[in-house]
Structures are given as structure tokens and as C-alpha cells.
């Protein structure tokens, strides 16, 4: 009774199975979990374990508000919680280590410059005097307006022109602790000149090119070929120049940044050690520096493996903090110099968890497309007969490898024969249908086998469906395309039911790169992910998580798909669903994306109306219908760039 067996299997699927399959707790950082009802839940605040927000309730409210998918959901509490956790961890470790300096962290806004994000971080960080970092003139303009706390640092990295430096000195005039970090020697010459001209003393930082190499994707950020920073010789020259100009006391900070998403803690320890030596030596030369800035690089465990994979990290936040604090303490004590204040520029670690993209599956692309009637007709080609022969004799005793080999070969030959006009279109269609049926049989026969021959191992992938999802990878998950970054994907509701389909995902751009076929499933990287069956009637919402760092702001308008509708969520203990939507930010309209590309949408609407009027005047379109077409064109211009799906 095969039926009762499959029923038993279905009912034996548990939340633990779902957890193992999708790894939600492994990458969720304590913020995401699968609830007993099978829905993904958000635990926005580690200090309030009873506050749990159910994605089903969020989706229901988004639909009720008639906000179109795909949407970005921002959990402001998660952002706040990350800021607090980072600061508290540093403060705890500093106290425990009896470290004499303080922690003065900054948030590098390039990781997510959204005003709401920056404001939330500044607000949550206020009790800790948490500051901001800018790496360009536009970012500096934003930071000058938003980091108004006189006790927090404003750190300026990146290449600078004279305007940049004037703005920095203007910040000094406003009483802010603006540190100009010298990336290139000539910047220091300019800084000294402008500062003397304006009569405003700078706070100077030096970025040192480290010998210690970060690992992972950004290892080019250190070493001799690094794009930024001063060599040891330049550090010495810079210090000497400051001294000669009577500005010795303005050199306050030593900076390094050996790359983002550092997978291996050893690289961090190494770099901290190296920077502590430089700091100590400069101190001994009479430069009383106050800060060592260890840059960014604090990683995120995107794949939940706690490993040195590029998408993971082999350390915890606490371990990272301890290595920085104890590393600096040890070297400074050996060198007999004061413990510096510690600056970090963690961006990814603060922002990654706070946002996710929710998209709907809008279609299924099966490898075989459709089945057609394969019954035999007279005089059909021998290749078709051969294929049917294999198909009709499939049984428990079939030699599966042989069936696979033969069918693959017949199909290849058939495709040649078709091009040579030897077999007809209908014959080719039948051959394809039979071929896929044979492959499905072979796959099913190997389903629970311990050993699968090498040739057949790709069958699960080649027979898997592609789920078409209403989003653009280039807008919403650009690193997944650009650098093969893994981002966790999971269904948001119904995880208490056994997923029945293995699929990869494709987006709605006209670009074959617009796909995701790298997932973490059962703790391993897989090209397919098990998902619920696709049905036209029941919506399947997928969440793409950890998109708050870089992805939110680096996306582009490939195919003119614009920014997403955004829903900002705050937790609220007294609310029956534990949350409320605080703000909705409309995504880009078609008009807006066209305008960016230099079109004039209102003129276009007039042109199209004119064409319609002409057809109406010629009697080819009835006037009422003409008005409808005109309105329709205008509505679409004002509308969302993504697919409109039925409610
Ligand atoms: C990008 C960058 C950061 C942020 O790094 P994360 O790994 O995201 O924390 C910090 N500092 C500098 C100089 C950067 O360029």
C-alpha cells in the first residue's frame, strides 16, 4: 500500500525537520525561528522573549493594506538590538579585561545609507556615544547632519578632495569629533594647508596598509597592493610632517581595515597585533594617539555553518570582541604604553539581520515543459521507436544506468537528426516527452539509494523545477549574483508540512543570470531547495534573509525594475500580533525609473494619447474604449515596476 506509506512519511515531518532543512536558527542570529504552527517568527528583541511576530500576520497585514509584493521588511527592533549588543559586549569585555580605554564604535553608512536605518542606529547608539563613518562626500554630508552627538566620533575614510576636507573642518567648527583618516599621503598635505588657511585644527587618523591578510572575498583590502592606506614608511613620513608643522598633537587615531566578512578569526588577531605594534611604536616616538580603529570585517554566518566558508565565520561576536580587547591590552602592556580607545566600523554585522525580502512564487518552469501523446504511428523514426522501447520496458528489474545512458544518447542523436531534417517536429516532441519520463523513473528508483552512480547524480538538479519569483536579483540580492554570496531562503508559512518540490529560483528579469541556485539545505550547500508545491490558488511566499547589509542599497535597475515597497515594523508587546507597521515607503514607480533614464513620462502619455485619438478619429477604436486605453497606459506609468499578481 504505497499510499499509507507516503501518508505516514508526511505526518512524520516535524518542525525539527524543517529547522534542519532550512537552518533558520543557524543563520537567524537569535532573531528568527520556526514556530510550533510552522510559520517563521521574528524575535526582535533578545530581552523580550515573549514578543514573537508571525510572518503570516505580517503578510496578512501587508495584503490588507494593499501593498504590492515584492516587499522589503525592516525590523527596527533588530537593528536597535544589534547596536546595543555590540556596544554592551565591548563594554562587558573591557570591564572584564580591566582594559583602560573605552569603546567608541562607529557605523559605516555605506553598508546601508537609508535615512531610517541611520537614524535608528544613531538613536539606539546614543547612550553609548556610538558614531558614524563616511567614505565619500555624499556620505559625509549625511553624517554631518545626522551625527550631532559631540561625544561620538565621526570617522572619514575614502579618497578626499578639498571640498571633502573643508566639510570635515566645518564639522570641527560645529564641535564634532571629526577624524580625517589619511588614505593617501597627498591628502595630509592638503589637510594641513586647508586647516591652516581656515584656522581650524583637524583630528588626524592614519590608515595603515597591513601586512596581515584578511581571508575571504575581500582579502585584497590589505597587503602591499591594497588600494587604501599608507605603508610603514609613509606612516613615519606623515608623522614627521605633522610634527614639523606643529601639529604633532593632532595625530589621534590609527586605522586599518583588512576586508569585509572575515571568515577566519586568526586574520583579525593578526591584524590587531600588527596595528598595536604600530600604535605602540608611534607612542614611543612621542605621538600620544588615543584611538586604534580596527575597521570592519566582523562577519555574518549567512550559511549557518560556523566555518571559514566565504559566507560564514568561525567565531562569535564575543570572541571577536575579546580578541580585539585582549590583543590590544597584551601588546600595550608589553610595550608599556596606554591602552587606546577602541573604534570598530562594523556595518555588516549591525545591519544584515534587520531586513528581508518577501517575494511570491508566480510560476513553475518544469524541465520537460509539457507531456504530449507519445503513442506510436506508422513509419516513425527508429530513434523514436528505440526511445519508446526503453520507456515501455521500465520495471523494477531495469538496469537503470543502461536506461539512462541509452536514453541520453538517443535524445542527443535525435536532436542532430532533427536539424538534418531526418525526424519531424512531432517525433522530436515525442522523443523529449519519453526521455523525461524515463529520467523521472530513474530518479524515483534511486530516491532512497545509498549509492548513486556519478552520471546520475545530476538528475535531481536537471529534473528540478525552477520557481519563478516576483523580484529582481539585481535589485534585491545583488551579491548573490555578483560574488556568489549565499543568502538564506525559506518559505515563510506552512513549514510544518513536508516540502514536496526540489527547485531552484529564477527572477523576472530577462537575464539568465537572474537566478538563485545556491542554498544551504541540511547544513550543506545545494543547488536546489525543497519547497511546497506551486499552485495558482494558494500563494507561496518566500523570504530571502540577511539582506540588510549592502543588498538593500547596492541594487540596480536592471530591466528597469526599481526599488521595492518597504514596510517598517516595530514590535509592540500590547498588540495582539506583537507588532505594528510604522511606515510604508513606496517603491519606485515606472515613471520614476523611466525619468532616471531620461524619458519624459508625461510627454510619453500625451504621445500615446495622440496615437489613440488618431485611431478613434479614424473610427478604428470606439471613443469609450480609447479613453480606457489612455487611462490604462497612465495607470501603468504610475504603477509598481514588478508583476501585479491577483489578490
Ligand atoms: C566597508 C568598510 C567597512 C564596513 O565593513 P563591514 O565588514 O561591513 O563591517 C568599515 N570600514 C571601512 C574602511 C570600509 O571600507
Amino acid at each position: 500500500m504505497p499510499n499509507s506509506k507516503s501518508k505516514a512519511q508526511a505526518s512524520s515531518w516535524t518542525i525539527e525537520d524543517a529547522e534542519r532543512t532550512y537552518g533558520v536558527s543557524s543563520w537567524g542570529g537569535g532573531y528568527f525561528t520556526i514556530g510550533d504552527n510552522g510559520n517563521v517568527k521574528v524575535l526582535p528583541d533578545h530581552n523580550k522573549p515573549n514578543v514573537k511576530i508571525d510572518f503570516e500576520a505580517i503578510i496578512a497585514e501587508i495584503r490588507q493594506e494593499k501593498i504590492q509584493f515584492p516587499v522589503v521588511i525592516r525590523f527596527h527592533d533588530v537593528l536597535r538590538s544589534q547596536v546595543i549588543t555590540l556596544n554592551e559586549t565591548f563594554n562587558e569585555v573591557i570591564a572584564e579585561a580591566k582594559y583602560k580605554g573605552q569603546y567608541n564604535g562607529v557605523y559605516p553608512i555605506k553598508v546601508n545609507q537609508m535615512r531610517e536605518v541611520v537614524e535608528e542606529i544613531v538613536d539606539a547608539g546614543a547612550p553609548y556615544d556610538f558614531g558614524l563613518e563616511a567614505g565619500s562626500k555624499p556620505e559625509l554630508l549625511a553624517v554631518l547632519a545626522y551625527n550631532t552627538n559631540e561625544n561620538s566620533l565621526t570617522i572619514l575614510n575614502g579618497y578626499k578632495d578639498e571640498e571633502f576636507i573643508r566639510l570635515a573642518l566645518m564639522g570641527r567648527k560645529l564641535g564634532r569629533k571629526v577624524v580625517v583618516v589619511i588614505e593617501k599621503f597627498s591628502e595630509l598635505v592638503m589637510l594641513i594647508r586647508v586647516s591652516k588657511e581656515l584656522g581650524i585644527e583637524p583630528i588626524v587618523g592614519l590608515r595603515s596598509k597591513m601586512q596581515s591578510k584578511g581571508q575571504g572575498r575581500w582579502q585584497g583590502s590589505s597587503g602591499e597592493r591594497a588600494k587604501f592606506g599608507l605603508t610603514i614608511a609613509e606612516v613615519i613620513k606623515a608623522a614627521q610632517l605633522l610634527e614639523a608643522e606643529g601639529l604633532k598633537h593632532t595625530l589621534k587615531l590609527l586605522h586599518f581595515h583588512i576586508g569585509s566578512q572575515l571568515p577566519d578569526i586568526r586574520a583579525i588577531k593578526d591584524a590587531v597585533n600588527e596595528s598595536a605594534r604600530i600604535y605602540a611604536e608611534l607612542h614611543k616616538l612621542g605621538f600620544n594617539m588615543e584611538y586604534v580603529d580596527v575597521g570592519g570585517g566582523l562577519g555574518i554566518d549567512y550559511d549557518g555553518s560556523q566555518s571559514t566558508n566565504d559566507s560564514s565565520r568561525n567565531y562569535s561576536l564575543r570572541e571577536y570582541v575579546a580578541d580585539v580587547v585582549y590583543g590590544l591590552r597584551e601588546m600595550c602592556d608589553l610595550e608599556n604604553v596606554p591602552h587606546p580607545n577602541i573604534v570598530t566600523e562594523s556595518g555588516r554585522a549591525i545591519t544584515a539581520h534587520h531586513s528581508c525580502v518577501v517575494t511570491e512564487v508566480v510560476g513553475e518552469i518544469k524541465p520537460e515543459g509539457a507531456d504530449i501523446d507519445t503513442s506510436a504511428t506508422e513509419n516513425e523514426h527508429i530513434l523514436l521507436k528505440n526511445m519508446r522501447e526503453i520507456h515501455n520496458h521500465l520495471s523494477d528489474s531495469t538496469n537503470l544506468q543502461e536506461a539512462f545512458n541509452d536514453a541520453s544518447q538517443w535524445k542527443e542523436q535525435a536532436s542532430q537528426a532533427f536539424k538534418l531534417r531526418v525526424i519531424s517536429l512531432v517525433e522530436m516532441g515525442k522523443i523529449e516527452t519519453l526521455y523525461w519520463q524515463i529520467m523521472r523513473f530513474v530518479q524515483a528508483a534511486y530516491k532512497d539509494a545509498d549509492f548513486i552512480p556519478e552520471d546520475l547524480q545530476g538528475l535531481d538538479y536537471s529534473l528540478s523545477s525552477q520557481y519563478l519569483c516576483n523580484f529582481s536579483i539585481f535589485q534585491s540580492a545583488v551579491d548573490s549574483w555578483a560574488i556568489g554570496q549565499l543568502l538564506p531562503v525559506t518559505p515563510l508559512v506552512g513549514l510544518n508540512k513536508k516540502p514536496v518540490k526540489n527547485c531552484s529560483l529564477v527572477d523576472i528579469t530577462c537575464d539568465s543570470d537572474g537566478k538563485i541556485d545556491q542554498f544551504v539545505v541540511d547544513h550543506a550547500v545545494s543547488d536546489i531547495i525543497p519547497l511546497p508545491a506551486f499552485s495558482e490558488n494558494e500563494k507561496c511566499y518566500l523570504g530571502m534573509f540577511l539582506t540588510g547589509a549592502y543588498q538593500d542599497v547596492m541594487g540596480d535597475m536592471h530591466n528597469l525594475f526599481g526599488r521595492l515597497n518597504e514596510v517598517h515594523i516595530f514590535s509592540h508587546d500590547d498588540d495582539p500580533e506583537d507588532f505594528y507597521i510604522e511606515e510604508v515607503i513606496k517603491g519606485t514607480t515606472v515613471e520614476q525609473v523611466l525619468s532616471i533614464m531620461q524619458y519624459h513620462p508625461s510627454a510619453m502619455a500625451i504621445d500615446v494619447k495622440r496615437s489613440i485619438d488618431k485611431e478613434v478619429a479614424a473610427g478604428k477604436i470606439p471613443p469609450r474604449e480609447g479613453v480606457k486605453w489612455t487611462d490604462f497606459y497612465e495607470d501603468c506609468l504610475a504603477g509598481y515596476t514588478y508583476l501585479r499578481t491577483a489578490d
Side-chain angles (χ1 to χ4, degrees):
M1 282 168 68
N3 241 350
S4 67
K5 187 180 164 226
S6 64
K7 255 191 203 147
Q9 271 176 352
S11 65
S12 69
W13 172 266
T14 61
I15 300 295
E16 287 71 42
D17 293 320
E19 172 52 43
R20 198 191 55 250
T21 302
Y22 301 111
V24 176
S25 324
S26 306
W27 51 256
Y31 295 113
F32 302 100
T33 183
I34 305 174
D36 295 337
N37 64 354
N39 297 342
V40 177
K41 300 206 175 191
V42 189
L43 306 152
D45 189 338
H46 292 169
N47 299 319
K48 292 187 195 149
N50 58 325
V51 176
K52 281 192 188 163
I53 307 174
D54 192 320
F55 262 98
E56 192 168 18
I58 298 174
I59 291 168
E61 189 152 337
I62 290 174
R63 291 181 64 171
Q64 198 189 335
E65 298 285 323
K66 304 245 176 291
I67 300 161
Q68 272 180 267
F69 288 90
V71 296
V72 166
I73 303 183
R74 281 189 206 291
F75 297 100
H76 281 246
D77 302 81
V78 172
L79 203 50
R80 298 187 74 84
S81 197
Q82 284 296 83
V83 172
I84 292 165
T85 306
L86 178 67
N87 278 283
E88 290 288 338
T89 308
F90 262 104
N91 290 348
E92 280 163 25
V93 174
I94 280 174
E96 169 199 294
K98 302 200 166 47
Y99 188 85
K100 306 219 175 56
Q102 313 169 10
Y103 175 60
N104 294 108
V106 294
Y107 165 65
I109 72 165
K110 79 155 189 254
V111 182
N112 194 323
Q113 300 102 339
M114 284 285 299
R115 175 175 54 79
E116 289 83 352
V117 171
V118 172
E119 278 178 343
E120 200 66 61
I121 290 173
V122 168
D123 190 63
Y128 308 98
D129 294 329
F130 197 66
L132 295 177
E133 185 264 6
S136 67
K137 206 159 34 183
E139 288 184 356
L140 168 54
L141 287 160
V143 163
L144 279 177
Y146 282 88
N147 188 19
T148 53
N149 178 350
E150 294 188 356
N151 296 319
S152 72
L153 291 173
T154 297
I155 304 263
L156 306 183
N157 296 314
Y159 289 126
K160 301 159 189 78
D161 61 5
E162 193 167 322
E163 250 173 21
F164 189 117
I165 282 169
R166 280 178 192 273
L167 283 167
L169 294 169
M170 181 183 129
R172 294 289 298 135
K173 265 279 183 238
L174 301 177
R176 315 276 175 76
K177 285 191 183 152
V178 180
V179 183
V180 179
V181 177
I182 302 300
E183 305 271 10
K184 192 157 132 281
F185 191 79
S186 58
E187 288 175 358
L188 183 61
V189 178
M190 186 158 58
L191 176 63
I192 292 172
R193 175 172 57 76
V194 178
S195 123
K196 294 210 159 159
E197 181 196 315
L198 297 177
I200 306 171
E201 222 169 57
I203 306 176
V204 182
L206 299 179
R207 175 162 177 176
S208 159
K209 260 185 198 167
M210 305 301 276
Q211 295 304 312
S212 312
K213 271 214 183 280
Q215 273 168 359
R217 256 184 265 281
W218 285 276
Q219 51 177 278
S221 305
S222 63
E224 275 147 24
R225 294 293 295 170
K227 180 169 143 191
F228 293 111
L230 308 178
T231 62
I232 297 283
E234 284 173 316
V235 167
I236 294 166
K237 231 177 106 184
Q240 286 169 346
L241 178 63
L242 283 167
E243 184 162 17
E245 297 283 345
L247 292 168
K248 191 173 182 183
H249 57 284
T250 64
L251 180 54
K252 295 269 203 259
L253 178 142
L254 182 75
H255 175 259
F256 72 85
H257 172 70
I258 56 167
S260 196
Q261 184 60 20
L262 296 169
D264 192 345
I265 190 75
R266 279 174 301 183
I268 297 163
K269 290 193 204 199
D270 226 35
V272 166
N273 214 17
E274 190 178 338
S275 70
R277 274 289 290 144
I278 301 172
Y279 160 82
E281 288 282 332
L282 284 169
H283 228 282
K284 288 191 278 186
L285 292 172
F287 293 89
N288 296 322
M289 299 172 82
E290 289 175 23
Y291 303 94
V292 169
D293 179 348
V294 303
L298 176 53
I300 286 287
D301 196 0
Y302 291 95
D303 68 11
S305 68
Q306 295 177 29
S307 71
T308 55
N309 291 348
D310 282 353
S311 296
S312 186
R313 62 173 194 190
N314 68 354
Y315 53 91
S316 64
L317 170 64
R318 180 124 199 146
E319 191 178 346
Y320 169 86
V321 171
D323 281 338
V324 172
V325 173
Y326 284 93
L328 285 172
R329 189 190 75 174
E330 189 180 16
M331 184 62 78
C332 293
D333 289 351
L334 284 170
E335 298 275 8
N336 209 10
V337 293
H339 300 165
N341 295 325
I342 299 171
V343 182
T344 68
E345 302 172 349
S346 291
R348 186 186 296 275
I350 287 179
T351 55
H353 284 90
H354 93 278
S355 86
C356 64
V357 173
V358 177
T359 172
E360 324 160 70
V361 181
V362 291
E364 176 177 2
I365 304 161
K366 293 183 188 161
E368 60 266 62
D371 281 359
I372 57 168
D373 178 8
T374 57
S375 37
T377 52
E378 258 175 75
N379 297 329
E380 51 180 29
H381 195 271
I382 180 80
L383 284 169
L384 172 53
K385 280 192 184 144
N386 287 347
M387 196 67 102
R388 188 179 300 103
E389 189 80 353
I390 305 175
H391 180 268
N392 290 353
H393 287 94
L394 291 171
S395 73
D396 286 352
S397 55
T398 300
N399 180 332
L400 296 167
Q401 171 101 54
E402 192 181 344
F404 172 86
N405 292 342
D406 290 350
S408 305
Q409 197 177 9
W410 300 139
K411 178 158 167 282
E412 235 173 80
Q413 290 182 359
S415 128
Q416 290 300 332
F418 176 69
K419 283 184 271 184
L420 294 169
R421 303 170 46 234
V422 174
I423 61 173
S424 72
L425 187 68
V426 171
E427 283 174 323
M428 190 65 213
K430 289 180 176 179
I431 286 173
E432 281 191 1
T433 295
L434 291 167
Y435 168 81
W436 288 112
Q437 287 171 354
I438 295 163
M439 293 300 133
R440 293 230 177 257
F441 181 90
V442 173
Q443 181 199 32
Y446 271 107
K447 198 163 186 300
D448 297 313
D450 294 330
F451 171 76
I452 302 179
E454 199 179 325
D455 284 351
L456 276 54
Q457 285 172 10
L459 268 185
D460 282 346
Y461 181 65
S462 45
L463 287 168
S464 67
S465 283
Q466 292 171 300
Y467 272 8
L468 180 64
C469 299
N470 193 10
F471 82 115
S472 157
I473 197 169
F474 305 96
Q475 176 63 247
S476 297
V478 69
D479 277 347
S480 153
W481 162 68
I483 57 170
Q485 165 88 63
L486 267 164
L487 291 171
V489 172
T490 156
L492 294 171
V493 299
L495 281 80
N496 50 352
K497 288 182 223 112
K498 188 176 169 141
V500 292
K501 278 268 171 160
N502 280 320
C503 339
S504 62
L505 305 182
V506 290
D507 72 5
I508 56 168
T509 65
C510 303
D511 191 319
S512 30
D513 271 0
K515 61 174 190 212
I516 301 183
D517 54 7
Q518 244 205 117
F519 307 93
V520 174
V521 177
D522 280 351
H523 303 295
V525 178
S526 164
D527 43 20
I528 43 182
I529 183 168
L531 292 177
F534 171 70
S535 111
E536 301 272 353
N537 310 321
E538 202 178 332
K539 300 226 173 205
C540 172
Y541 292 99
L542 299 181
M544 202 169 4
F545 286 85
L546 310 187
T547 57
Y550 302 102
Q551 312 314 297
D552 269 353
V553 292
M554 284 194 338
D556 64 49
M557 302 192 309
H558 195 11
N559 260 159
L560 299 187
F561 290 116
R563 287 187 65 79
L564 270 56
N565 288 328
E566 277 196 16
V567 173
H568 292 206
I569 288 189
F570 280 73
S571 69
H572 186 47
D573 218 347
D574 297 338
D575 183 272
E577 300 289 357
D578 282 357
F579 78 96
Y580 65 99
I581 294 180
E582 188 257 358
E583 188 180 18
V584 176
I585 302 177
K586 286 289 229 178
T588 328
T589 62
V590 174
E591 268 165 351
Q592 288 167 333
V593 290
L594 287 171
S595 303
I596 291 169
M597 290 294 154
Q598 294 284 76
Y599 291 87
H600 303 286
S602 46
M604 286 160 55
I606 293 171
D607 287 348
V608 168
K609 182 171 185 304
R610 213 169 273 144
S611 301
I612 292 169
D613 288 348
K614 215 169 109 197
E615 298 304 304
V616 171
K620 291 187 189 151
I621 300 179
R624 276 178 198 281
E625 192 185 321
V627 173
K628 275 196 188 143
W629 285 123
T630 309
D631 290 350
F632 177 61
Y633 184 84
E634 285 172 10
D635 283 352
C636 289
L637 272 179
Y640 201 27
T641 58
Y642 293 87
L643 300 185
R644 182 185 288 278
T645 55
D647 243 348

